[in-house]
Amino acid sequence: MNKFFVPITVIAAAMFAYAPFMILNAPYEATMGLVQKIFYFHAACGMAMFLAAFVSGIGSAMFLFTKKPSADRMAVAGAELTVIIGLIVLVTGPLWARKAWGVWWQWDARLTSTLVMWMIFNAYLLLRRYGGPGSEKLAAAVALFGMANVPFVYWSVNVWRTLHPKTSVIPSLQPGMRGPFWFCVVAFLLVTTAILMLRTELEKRRQQLDELYLMAEES
Amino acid sequence: MKAFARAVWIVTRKDILIETRTREILLTTVFFALACVLVFAFGFVKEGRPMEDVAAGILWIAIAFSGTLALGRAFERERQGETLRALLIAPIDRPALYLGKLLGILILLAAVEILIVPLVALMFQAALFDHALLMIGLLAAGTVGFAAVGTLFAAMLVRARSRDVMLPVLLYPITVPVIIGGVRGTAALLAPTADLAMARLWLSMLVFFDVVFITLALWTFEPVMTE
């Protein structure tokens, strides 16, 4: 196990324990009031999702061109996390949207592209699971296309006129909100990193176990 | 470069030759597209008549669905004849093989579209030919983007289990930007007063996605198709 795993996990756990107090003490947004506070988790999860998708995409590219099993382990860990964190993003978003826009879902560019990216990584996992032997390599190509989507998801709000707030809301946050927001972002990125390490390690042991089974069968 | 183009052409010619002799994929795909149009026409019925403004959507759904079918069949044929392995050990570059297959699929889909587009125009009273050049541009750019990703995935899924269901599962989320571009561009052309600037914007989006998709596909085809 990576030597940074324990310190990162401890720091992330401590930050998560403290985050609710920071969010509680942050000022209320003038028009949206309480519902705006979901933003501290929603936007932070969005960034964590991008991180996971990048890890999966870069791992896949490395696996495709170097055939290192360690790169593939990184890719699968990243893809699973993209799906899980993406689910949090896709659930917290509509919770806020229901109050802010009056509807759960809008087919605007940000929402659509996020859903599409989430579906691509779901397809990645489906292919790995049901594609039979050799599907890791095929899935790696899928993850590359998934990662290619990340810039579109990020910039979609600025290019098209969408209901979703633009990326410029973050630098324009009120001073009282800025601290809790970046605190949550760091907390989510740390916990994502910790789970990535854990999942990569699990995949490594699973592969070792498979090899042992094969050896036992042969002898 | 000349040898590369020749290799591409040999692969394409092989596919066209088989197809002109059997016409299997062309005929089944055209009738499948027609069935799609029929189902969707009655899926969007209002007071006994198909709703207005659905022609663009129906056209692109028919193209996407029948394209998936054609892609699956084109590579299933290679699998059944064990000819994909022969193609892979042939002394040609992998990108040439990819482009050859892509070109074959594109010619096939173009043939399907030549039949389906006028039919949709006729059945839905859609003015698809008022701005014929832009419409052809949208169709060409959209089909290239769809087939570029489709050829890569159909080729690599040949060796996978449950490939029939995997192809659409992988293909639709990835190619959805192309479908969006095609539908919105076509809808802009079909609007009561055609919005040409909008259609051109979507066309340039489609071309952009074509470039991204073909680059990624050419880049990944070799490692994915190597055992």
Side-chain angles (χ1 to χ4, degrees), chain B residues 47-62:
Chain B
E47 292 161 6
R49 297 164 64 91
M51 279 154 66
E52 283 173 22
D53 303 333
V54 292
I58 290 174
L59 176 67
W60 282 92
I61 291 172

Side-chain angles (χ1 to χ4, degrees), chain A residues 61 64-65 67 112 116 119-120 122-124 126-135 137-142 144-146 148-149 152 160, chain B residues 149 152-153 156-157 159-162 166 169-170 172-174 176-177 180 201-202 205 208-209 212-213 216-217 219-220 223-227:
Chain A
L64 270 184
F65 293 100
K67 300 193 177 63
T112 310
V116 165
M119 284 180 70
I120 294 176
N122 271 295
Y124 173 96
L126 283 173
L127 180 59
R128 277 190 83 103
R129 182 138 185 201
Y130 301 112
S135 55
K137 211 157 49 173
L138 313 186
V142 179
L144 270 184
F145 279 88
N149 247 291
F152 292 108
W160 285 281
Chain B
V149 183
L152 172 70
F153 286 133
M156 73 184 202
L157 283 173
R159 276 179 279 130
R161 271 196 287 136
S162 56
M166 273 304 161
V169 163
L170 301 182
Y172 293 153
I174 291 175
V176 99
I180 295 172
L201 184 76
W202 285 110
M205 267 271 301
F208 171 74
F209 272 104
V212 172
F213 284 165
L216 268 178
W219 198 45
T220 47
V224 163
M225 295 307 287
T226 310
E227 301 250 346

Side-chain angles (χ1 to χ4, degrees), chain A:
Chain A
M1 183 58 97
N2 194 305
K3 63 177 184 244
F4 294 111
F5 175 70
V6 174
I8 286 178
T9 313
V10 170
I11 296 170
M15 285 179 89
F16 265 100
Y18 188 60
F21 297 101
M22 283 198 92
I23 295 172
L24 183 71
N25 291 327
Y28 280 87
E29 207 268 342
T31 50
M32 285 179 282
L34 185 65
V35 275
Q36 181 268 339
K37 288 187 185 287
I38 207 166
F39 156 83
Y40 296 107
F41 268 35
H42 175 74
C45 276
M47 292 191 183
M49 179 181 73
F50 286 156
L51 172 70
F54 267 119
V55 168
S56 182
I58 292 168
S60 296
M62 275 163 54
F63 178 60
L64 270 184
F65 293 100
T66 65
K67 300 193 177 63
K68 272 191 194 142
S70 59
D72 180 51
R73 295 198 282 266
M74 223 170 93
V76 70
E80 280 184 5
L81 264 179
T82 309
V83 169
I84 300 281
I85 302 172
L87 191 63
I88 302 177
V89 174
L90 289 170
V91 169
T92 53
L95 287 177
W96 173 82
R98 182 72 182 85
K99 276 288 174 192
W101 306 335
V103 287
W104 297 103
W105 184 264
Q106 272 285 334
W107 288 103
D108 85 356
R110 187 39 128 8
L111 275 64
T112 310
S113 56
T114 309
L115 180 67
V116 165
M117 188 178 118
W118 186 75
M119 284 180 70
I120 294 176
F121 281 97
N122 271 295
Y124 173 96
L125 295 180
L126 283 173
L127 180 59
R128 277 190 83 103
R129 182 138 185 201
Y130 301 112
S135 55
E136 310 92 57
K137 211 157 49 173
L138 313 186
V142 179
L144 270 184
F145 279 88
M147 184 177 69
N149 247 291
V150 172
F152 292 108
V153 179
Y154 182 75
W155 279 301
S156 58
V157 278
N158 301 338
V159 174
W160 285 281
R161 223 176 306 137
T162 60
L163 274 173
H164 191 283
K166 288 191 192 332
T167 49
S168 58
V169 292
I170 289 166
S172 68
L173 281 177
Q174 294 174 30
M177 293 179 178
R178 207 169 289 164
F181 172 71
W182 287 110
F183 186 84
C184 287
V185 169
V186 172
F188 266 101
L189 291 182
L190 282 179
V191 83
T192 306
T193 315
I195 300 174
L196 276 173
M197 286 174 176
L198 196 64
R199 181 66 184 86
T200 313
E201 183 67 22
L202 176 68
E203 189 65 18
K204 186 174 164 187
R205 300 210 179 158
R206 200 189 56 73
Q207 284 175 359
Q208 282 170 345
L209 187 65
D210 279 352
E211 278 162 27
L212 286 176
Y213 271 127
L214 277 178
M215 273 163 65
E217 267 174 28
E218 276 167 14
S219 61

Side-chain angles (χ1 to χ4, degrees), chain B residues 10-216:
Chain B
I10 289 172
V11 175
T12 308
R13 205 183 72 121
K14 168 194 81 76
D15 278 1
I16 298 173
L17 214 61
I18 298 174
E19 192 50 42
T20 46
R21 287 193 188 146
T22 62
R23 290 183 208 94
E24 179 201 350
I25 300 180
L26 181 67
L27 288 179
T28 49
T29 306
V30 164
F31 274 90
F32 177 77
L34 184 61
C36 263
V37 172
L38 187 76
V39 168
F40 279 101
F42 288 102
F44 302 107
V45 172
K46 203 170 159 188
E47 292 161 6
R49 297 164 64 91
M51 279 154 66
E52 283 173 22
D53 303 333
V54 292
I58 290 174
L59 176 67
W60 282 92
I61 291 172
I63 292 172
F65 281 14
S66 51
T68 314
L69 202 74
L71 282 162
R73 290 300 310 163
F75 282 94
E76 184 65 18
R77 194 148 66 189
E78 300 276 11
R79 198 184 66 86
Q80 277 172 352
E82 289 281 330
T83 44
L84 192 66
R85 187 165 299 152
L87 275 177
L88 287 174
I89 56 176
I92 54 171
D93 290 339
R94 288 286 149 81
L97 176 57
Y98 168 78
L99 287 177
K101 291 301 283 187
L102 174 61
L103 210 59
I105 298 278
L106 282 176
I107 292 171
L108 192 70
L109 286 182
V112 174
E113 283 167 15
I114 285 172
L115 292 166
I116 284 300
V117 174
L119 206 72
V120 168
L122 198 85
M123 290 165 104
F124 294 91
Q125 292 102 41
L128 286 168
F129 298 107
D130 284 6
H131 303 279
L133 260 180
L134 259 177
M135 189 63 222
I136 290 169
L138 285 169
L139 280 171
T143 311
V144 167
F146 183 80
V149 183
T151 307
L152 172 70
F153 286 133
M156 73 184 202
L157 283 173
V158 165
R159 276 179 279 130
R161 271 196 287 136
S162 56
R163 65 188 84 80
D164 302 331
V165 64
M166 273 304 161
L167 183 60
V169 163
L170 301 182
L171 197 52
Y172 293 153
I174 291 175
T175 53
V176 99
V178 172
I179 307 291
I180 295 172
V183 171
R184 300 292 290 274
T186 312
L189 286 182
L190 291 182
T193 46
D195 190 349
L196 295 185
M198 198 55 154
R200 276 194 208 102
L201 184 76
W202 285 110
L203 178 59
S204 52
M205 267 271 301
L206 283 176
V207 172
F208 171 74
F209 272 104
D210 288 355
V211 174
V212 172
F213 284 165
I214 291 179
T215 312
L216 268 178

